[in-house]
Amino acid sequence: MIALLWAQILRAESPYWYLLPLVAVVSLVYSATRHEEWPLIWRRAVRLAIFILCFMAVTLAILWGI
C-alpha cells in the first residue's frame, strides 16, 4: 500500500508536485499583505508555510487512520 502511494506521488504528472509551490506562494502573498518589511515577510512566510504543511500532514494522518 505504501509503495503504491509513493509510486503515485513520485510520478512526473502527479498533482502533488504542485503542493510545495502553491504553499510557498500562498504564504508569501498572505505575509506580504500583512507586513511591509521584507525580512519580516520572509520570516512570517516560512512560519506560515510550515504551519500549513504540518496541518495538512496531521489531516492526512487522521484521514489515513479512519
Side-chain angles (χ1 to χ4, degrees), residues 29-40:
V29 169
Y30 182 80
S31 296
T33 60
R34 301 286 181 218
H35 308 289
E36 293 186 9
E37 291 121 14
W38 276 104
L40 185 57

Side-chain angles (χ1 to χ4, degrees), residues 42-62:
W42 286 113
R43 279 196 309 263
R44 298 295 176 142
V46 168
R47 286 178 53 193
L48 182 60
I50 291 170
F51 175 77
I52 291 171
L53 291 174
C54 289
F55 179 78
M56 292 175 71
V58 167
T59 304
L60 175 66
I62 291 171

